[in-house]
Amino acid sequence: MAIPAQVRIVEVGPRDGLQNEATPVSVAARVALIEQLAGAGIRAIESGSFVSPKWVPQMASSDEVFAGINRKAGVTYSALTPNLKGFEGALAAGVDEVAVFAAASEAFSQKNINCSIDESLARFEPVMAAAQEAGIAVRGYVSCVVGCPYAGEVSPAAVLGVTDKLLAMGCYEVSLGDTTGVGTPGSVRRLLDALVPALGHQRLALHLHDTYGQALANISAGLDYGIEVIDSAVAGLGGCPYAKGASGNVATEDVVYMLNGMGIETGIDLDALVATGHWICDQLERDNQSRVGRALSGKG
Ligand code: HMG
Ligand code: MG
């Protein structure tokens, strides 16, 4: 299959990134980050989570974040919602889109959202119904698509099963999460060999954490299967609070640099993105995890 001419980047730094940062980030800084990302040309920004603040304190006040954003036309500002309570909060905050999140591993489902995979899918039913009534699109996530921090290897068949169910419930797209970044082009190809013929490539996205430094190679493998939606986080921020040792998502700067070199359009201004990555790292007083960000600013 020919690689895509364009890729849609879903920037998850303000959610997946900041949810795991030890330094508390003010609402004003979260809003500024989101506005800078939109200014750099990103058109899909996961901007917060409507989850229990006892479980993920970093995402508290996501309603205030949404209220503070000076929205840019053409940009989708989305949020994670694990249940109907979360969806109602997200709707009241004026989100454009929500995401429900399930896992391909029972052990991870219990640790992350305190219920089994089937129970999580049952909790999403009322979310899907309410979202449809409100005219809000729902994205799905499947975590642990190649490996689980608690249960080890995860079979492509398990991922196919839960992905198929999320699509059948009405998710317009499912993002395949390598939560701990253990995947390689070998395991990602085995996964896509199972999923793409069954589900098509158009409704699948890749969401890869870069713990083992494999994410760009894995994205390149995904492009060969026609995948045209990639999740990433500016400066490689974050991790997952329920996947110990998981580092951040692949850095958006690194993905855009690679795609530029492959002649694949994203509509993103790399220089503006690099500046945003350094800005948020200064706020967090942490090192920038983007190799491209460091190289382009002479900090490599
Ligand atoms: P629970 O304790 O089983 O839920 O948590 P509960 O229904 O028994 O409620 C307990 C308390 O939480 C109650 O409050 C509820 O009102 C409250 P209390 O009476 O104790 O004061 N509550 C809520 N509060 C705010 N918003 C809500 C909400 N729901 C209940 N929506 C629950 C179940 C799902 C809520 C909890 O486990 C939770 O919030 N987990 C958060 C999980 C999370 O955010 N994980 C990180 C994101 S997933 C991820 O990073 C992976 C991904 O990036 C893909 C990848 O990389 O693989 C997407
Ligand atoms: Mg993630």
Side-chain angles (χ1 to χ4, degrees), residues 57-184:
Q58 293 89 335
M59 287 293 105
S61 311
S62 284
D63 54 341
E64 292 173 36
V65 171
F66 275 91
I69 303 167
N70 186 7
R71 298 194 195 197
K72 191 175 163 195
V75 177
T76 299
Y77 301 91
S78 63
L80 284 194
T81 55
N83 52 22
L84 191 57
K85 183 180 169 80
F87 178 78
E88 284 166 352
L91 189 63
V95 305
D96 296 321
E97 181 180 306
V98 296
V100 294
F101 47 110
S105 147
E106 286 294 351
F108 188 80
S109 186
Q110 288 293 348
K111 296 275 184 192
N112 192 35
I113 48 178
N114 205 22
C115 62
S116 70
I117 297 169
D118 281 347
E119 282 165 348
S120 75
L121 296 172
R123 283 181 194 176
F124 301 154
E125 292 282 4
V127 174
M128 302 306 300
Q132 195 179 17
E133 201 178 309
I136 300 274
V138 184
R139 192 172 199 240
Y141 278 106
V142 177
S143 288
C144 301
V145 295
V146 281
C148 167
Y150 311 104
E153 211 170 300
V154 172
S155 73
V159 183
L160 176 59
V162 66
T163 304
D164 193 28
K165 284 180 187 160
L166 286 171
L167 291 171
M169 285 172 81
C171 291
Y172 74 90
E173 169 179 294
V174 171
S175 188
L176 303 169
D178 183 7
T179 317
T180 48
V182 292
T184 64

Side-chain angles (χ1 to χ4, degrees), residues 15-16 19 50-52 54 83 86 112 114 143 179 207 209:
R15 192 282 300 173
D16 204 348
Q19 79 179 10
F50 291 82
V51 299
S52 164
K54 286 181 196 149
N83 52 22
N112 192 35
N114 205 22
S143 288
T179 317
H207 174 105
H209 289 259

Side-chain angles (χ1 to χ4, degrees), residues 260-284:
N260 283 349
M262 297 172 83
I264 298 174
E265 277 178 37
T266 61
I268 295 170
D269 175 343
L270 184 57
D271 291 335
L273 189 63
V274 166
T276 301
H278 287 304
W279 177 83
I280 188 62
C281 288
D282 287 346
Q283 301 297 308
L284 295 166

